[in-house]
Amino acid sequence: MPIEIALLGCAHPHVPDLLGVLASEPDLRLAAAWDADPSAVPPAIGGAAVGRARTAIGRADAVVICAPVDERPALCVEAARAGRPILVEKPIALSAGEAARLAREIGRSRTPAIPALFLRELPALGRLAAVLRERLLGRLAGVTATWVHPGALDGWFTGPTAWMRDPARAGVGGFGDLALHLLDALAALPADAPPALSAVALDRDGAGDVGGQAVGTWAGVPLGLRAGWAARPGALELVVSGSAATATVRDGVLELASDAGPPQRWVGPPPDAGEALRAFAARLRSRRLPRDGLQPAVRSQAVLEAAVALT
């Protein structure tokens, strides 16, 4: 039996990635697509368009929510009350407080829901987690995390996706959009303490921010974090330095460097937003969706929000 998916919100840069997964997975089918702005539904899936979110939810086995952030809580609650498992883009709400309330509301419904934090699915980060568990780096000394792309320079956030530059609709700007992924990825790695930020400097351009840098701690060592939409070339890089070796994840490649010889490299796929849907589908098939799946998104948003409030 196919898994029928409803797509709620089509004006998001990751929608093409998600549609690619729906097209490539033989047991996934797009049951319905909805957007508050009907013109935002891509012509390629126009035949699945419906006029009401409730109609889309009713036709599906599970729901993927990519709508603007200010619409996400209401859509999540409606899907949860209908008993449809949820994959929702991050941030899940405009504020950390609202996100926590939403997670509690969905928890009461006992409907599984997870955020689309797809860096968790990156194989190179899984390899890094194994390196850290084996203590191959020795005593940790510091970590830097960077994720940037030129989206704001290349016009990604114009037309239907312009809401992403409006803090009243998006909740975060260029820094928060990518920093949430980095904070979640760090929190998912084995460490004595989760990431914390103590100061943030934002690159503001009038309509919110397009990026920024932060300092803080992770696993008891200094953390430097950089994220944003206005840097070229784009790159993901996570560097963990230790007394015995340094591990670097650059896009999909993990490199271990030490004084013992040439660097060791493991090459894997780069970050792919579609992997969030692949992982969601795998959990649907195995019926192993977590009951508290939104908590990582809530925690990362709280860390980000507390630091930005100090700027």
Side-chain angles (χ1 to χ4, degrees):
M1 292 288 291
I3 302 172
E4 305 282 356
I5 303 292
L7 175 62
L8 305 183
C10 299
H12 191 285
H14 292 160
V15 166
D17 303 291
L18 301 176
L19 293 179
V21 173
L22 288 172
S24 65
E25 294 284 325
D27 65 340
L28 298 184
R29 194 173 78 87
L30 181 64
W34 170 88
D35 196 285
D37 176 6
S39 68
V41 179
I45 59 171
V50 297
R52 299 174 66 200
R54 181 170 298 177
T55 302
I57 293 168
R59 292 183 181 179
D61 300 313
V63 172
V64 176
I65 298 176
C66 296
V69 181
D70 61 333
E71 298 175 12
R72 288 174 192 169
L75 293 171
C76 283
V77 168
E78 188 162 2
R81 289 175 178 171
R84 304 305 195 266
I86 301 162
L87 174 68
V88 56
E89 269 290 347
K90 54 80 195 114
I92 63 173
L94 289 174
S95 70
E98 187 180 3
R101 291 189 292 274
L102 174 62
R104 289 194 295 270
E105 175 71 15
I106 292 176
R108 282 192 289 268
S109 76
R110 302 186 64 81
T111 299
I114 61 174
L117 290 163
F118 57 87
L119 279 192
R120 281 179 171 248
E121 315 303 331
L122 188 66
L125 283 177
R127 293 268 178 156
L128 175 59
V131 166
L132 292 170
R133 281 193 294 269
E134 295 297 323
R135 301 186 181 277
L136 297 181
L137 304 185
R139 181 180 59 80
L140 298 185
V143 59
T144 61
T146 300
W147 198 3
V148 295
H149 64 62
L153 307 176
D154 291 347
W156 293 10
F157 309 117
T158 58
T161 57
W163 63 267
M164 294 187 69
R165 297 299 316 276
D166 180 358
R169 302 210 67 198
V172 297
F175 176 72
D177 180 56
L178 298 181
L180 286 172
H181 281 291
L182 294 173
L183 290 169
D184 179 69
L186 289 167
L189 293 172
D192 297 331
L197 300 180
S198 55
V200 177
L202 297 176
D203 176 11
R204 303 182 189 272
D205 72 344
D209 71 84
V210 292
Q213 300 189 54
V215 294
T217 59
W218 173 77
V221 300
L223 164 66
L225 191 149
R226 175 175 170 242
W229 298 333
R232 199 187 307 278
L236 167 70
E237 184 176 86
L238 178 62
V239 181
V240 184
S241 302
S243 59
T246 294
T248 301
V249 172
R250 187 172 291 109
D251 295 325
V253 178
L254 171 64
E255 179 180 283
L256 294 180
S258 70
D259 293 335
Q264 303 176 49
R265 290 186 179 88
W266 180 85
V267 179
D272 180 354
E275 290 304 307
L277 179 54
R278 290 191 197 279
F280 181 60
R283 294 182 179 107
L284 288 171
R285 296 181 190 110
S286 65
R287 300 181 184 275
R288 292 184 178 177
L289 284 159
R291 293 294 180 183
D292 61 349
L294 293 179
Q295 289 307 314
V298 174
R299 287 192 292 267
S300 293
Q301 190 169 359
V303 170
L304 175 70
E305 193 171 286
V308 171
L310 298 175
T311 63

